[in-house]
Amino acid sequence: MVMARDRVMRAFRNPAEDDLPERVKLAIRNQQDASEIVIGWIQLAVVTMFAVLYTVSPKTFSSDAGIEPVPWALGAYFVFTVIRLWAGYRSHLPHWLLALSVVVDMSLLLGTIWSFHIQYSQPPSFYLKVPTLLYVFIFIALRALRFEARYVILAGVVAALGWSFMAFYAAYAGAAEGMITRDYVYYMTSNSILIGAEFDKVITILVVTGILAVALVRARQLLVRAVTEGTAVKDLSRFFAPEIARQITASEHQVTAGEGIARDAAILMVDVRGFTGLAARLPANELITILSAYQARMVTVIQRHHGSIDKFMGDGIMATFGAAVDSDCYAADALRAVDEIMEEAQAWGRERERDGEVALRIGAAVATGRIIFGAVGDETRLEYTVIGDAVNMTAKLEKHTKEEKVRALATEQAYETACAQGYEPPLPVERLQSRQLMGVGGTSDLVVLAK
């Protein structure tokens, strides 16, 4: 019995789900829990609407019946729905409770329909013609919101078995009175029973259930793929800049080496002065703690000004502005980032001094120019990066800050471009004319962004 059940469940489950990471399974489960709450609210709306319609509609039942079971059935279903909705908000509903909920939902609906012949003092065949049977299809379709075919199948099977039993009960009760007929017109205009009509209802319930189940199996695969890709984007964003991660996941074809685009962009280099000496003195754990705190502060500032982290190089950070995503204010964004980085570095230094630690000095440099942004590597290892004179210039310029004994420098071209794009320096800047940078031919005009 258990083995047969497991085979059925495997038939309606995507085998690839077994290999999914636990965090992806958790994301899917959270989606399903949210759907279960939606199902509860819809069911609550349905039973409320049903109760309102029953209340305002004229009552034609006989007072000899002595009982009104419909209000009791509706009340029981309302209470059960509220409890299940409350439980859905409180915690993750286990599978056994969900299965029980499906059975109880359908049983209460069919029980309400069955009670109609008592409510209206009619023979059992009376309830076979009530339009309330259509609610069965609503309840089956509601289970599709979880994207799990097994609950749709369970709802359809319970509905088919329940209606079959009700049809058999009505036929058995009406057989002695000759209420079973083959005359369709007589069937439609009386309380008689047409066996073929009830058979058609059961078949329709099962066919609709089967179609929904097959559609859900395919929809489930799309759900798993969507959640997996969404999780992958979040994971990629931890290793790539968010905009690069979006380019990778949204690309219409597989990213390959050699793809690139030329753009005007700004390149920013940031590093910690004297970090090599610090690394030689401090224990590994303490060194990594300092590096993590530094990177967390700097990366936040860079991203706030629309910069993309290209790579971490030990204590160095290389960021781009306008490379991954085209921008009309790439230079202005880069220089604003430098201004805030310098403020953040000073605040961090004061915090370290209060804690009895040595304040670290941060250096930064910015250059602008035409760069090529694209993927490099081979089929087994790809990396998005930027290539161009601006990249080399920024690296040389950052080293030159030590020669000038300043904290941040920019090329005059970068500064003028930033000003044209709306940048306003917080303090008057100092211009350095005709400076010789190591490894750079000729001389360069520079601007001091922070002393």
Side-chain angles (χ1 to χ4, degrees):
M1 183 80 154
V2 175
M3 293 179 63
R5 182 198 65 188
D6 291 342
R7 283 196 296 269
V8 172
M9 297 310 298
R10 281 195 298 270
F12 286 94
R13 185 178 62 200
N14 184 4
E17 291 187 40
D18 296 333
D19 301 326
L20 291 176
E22 189 59 36
R23 66 184 186 282
V24 177
K25 293 180 181 179
L26 178 62
I28 294 174
R29 188 160 61 244
N30 290 339
Q31 291 280 352
Q32 291 175 326
D33 289 344
S35 296
E36 198 62 40
I37 292 175
V38 173
I39 291 172
W41 279 111
I42 294 177
Q43 288 179 322
L44 190 62
V46 169
V47 70
T48 301
M49 180 180 65
F50 197 6
V52 170
L53 291 176
Y54 175 80
T55 301
V56 301
S57 62
K59 305 299 186 295
T60 58
F61 56 85
S62 170
S63 59
D64 297 335
I67 186 173
E68 294 185 34
V70 172
W72 287 98
L74 289 175
Y77 185 58
F78 181 86
V79 171
F80 176 77
T81 302
V82 170
I83 292 174
R84 193 172 65 83
L85 190 57
W86 172 80
Y89 274 107
R90 292 273 298 179
S91 63
H92 171 72
L93 300 180
H95 291 298
W96 67 265
L97 183 57
L98 291 172
L100 177 63
S101 173
V102 172
V103 174
V104 172
D105 286 343
M106 199 61 70
S107 299
L108 285 172
L109 174 61
L110 294 177
T112 302
I113 296 174
W114 178 86
S115 69
F116 284 177
H117 78 287
I118 299 176
Q119 179 86 17
Y120 293 94
S121 299
Q122 296 292 322
S125 59
F126 175 78
Y127 60 67
L128 295 179
K129 297 181 181 180
V130 297
T132 313
L133 173 63
L134 297 176
Y135 282 74
V136 165
F137 296 100
I138 296 177
F139 280 25
I140 294 174
L142 277 176
R143 306 318 310 180
L145 293 177
R146 276 190 65 89
F147 287 91
E148 286 188 273
R150 54 181 164 176
Y151 296 114
V152 170
I153 294 173
L154 178 60
V157 169
V158 171
L161 290 176
W163 194 259
S164 297
F165 174 79
M166 291 170 63
F168 174 80
Y169 174 81
Y172 177 80
E177 302 178 11
M179 299 192 68
I180 299 177
T181 182
R182 293 185 178 181
D183 188 331
Y184 185 76
V185 174
Y186 181 66
Y187 160 73
M188 292 295 294
T189 57
S190 67
N191 280 335
S192 60
I193 302 169
L194 184 64
I195 299 298
E198 305 313 314
F199 181 77
D200 285 346
K201 294 175 186 176
V202 173
I203 291 298
T204 301
I205 291 172
L206 292 176
V207 170
V208 169
T209 299
I211 292 173
L212 275 177
V214 172
L216 275 180
V217 169
R218 302 185 65 181
R220 174 80 177 191
Q221 295 173 353
L222 293 176
L223 172 65
V224 170
R225 186 183 304 171
V227 173
T228 302
E229 290 182 356
T231 305
V233 170
K234 291 181 180 179
D235 290 343
L236 281 172
S237 297
R238 299 178 61 198
F239 294 92
F240 298 92
E243 52 272 15
I244 296 178
R246 285 192 292 270
Q247 287 190 26
I248 295 173
T249 56
S251 177
E252 295 183 359
H253 61 278
Q254 185 179 22
V255 178
T256 59
E259 296 181 357
I261 185 170
R263 281 181 175 147
D264 289 325
I267 310 299
L268 167 65
M269 295 280 191
V270 184
D271 84 334
V272 179
R273 299 291 168 77
F275 190 80
T276 302
L278 194 67
R281 299 193 308 268
L282 296 179
N285 288 343
E286 186 176 345
L287 185 69
I288 292 300
T289 300
I290 293 174
L291 188 60
S292 297
Y294 151 72
Q295 290 173 339
R297 288 173 177 267
M298 299 303 111
V299 168
T300 300
V301 172
I302 291 169
Q303 291 180 337
R304 185 156 51 239
H305 292 279
H306 315 294
S308 300
I309 305 301
D310 186 86
K311 59 175 65 71
F312 294 103
M313 303 166 290
D315 62 307
I317 301 174
M318 176 178 168
T320 64
F321 295 78
V325 178
D326 195 16
S327 171
D328 294 330
C329 54
Y330 58 89
D333 287 340
L335 266 60
R336 291 189 189 106
V338 170
D339 292 339
E340 188 173 348
I341 284 172
M342 294 298 104
E343 292 177 3
E344 187 69 24
Q346 288 183 323
W348 186 38
R350 289 192 293 268
E351 290 177 14
R352 288 182 58 82
E353 288 176 342
R354 284 198 302 268
D355 296 336
E357 300 172 334
V358 177
L360 300 178
R361 190 173 172 86
I362 306 298
V366 176
T368 56
R370 197 71 170 170
I371 57 91
I372 297 176
F373 171 77
V376 296
D378 62 13
E379 292 301 319
T380 61
R381 175 69 167 85
L382 291 176
E383 179 178 306
Y384 269 102
T385 190
V386 288
I387 302 170
D389 290 339
V391 179
N392 299 327
M393 183 64 178
T394 307
K396 304 296 183 184
L397 190 59
E398 194 281 320
K399 294 185 186 321
H400 191 72
T401 57
K402 302 171 187 176
E403 300 293 328
E404 300 289 350
K405 295 182 174 52
V406 297
R407 293 185 296 150
L409 286 173
T411 62
E412 188 174 56
Q413 177 189 359
Y415 179 77
E416 296 297 339
T417 303
C419 291
Q421 294 174 355
Y423 170 72
E424 295 180 0
L427 296 171
V429 299
E430 178 183 352
R431 295 177 183 269
L432 305 177
Q433 302 294 325
S434 303
R435 287 317 201 250
Q436 180 67 55
L437 275 63
M438 184 179 297
V440 178
T443 59
S444 303
D445 296 331
L446 310 176
V447 174
V448 178
L449 299 177
K451 293 185 178 181

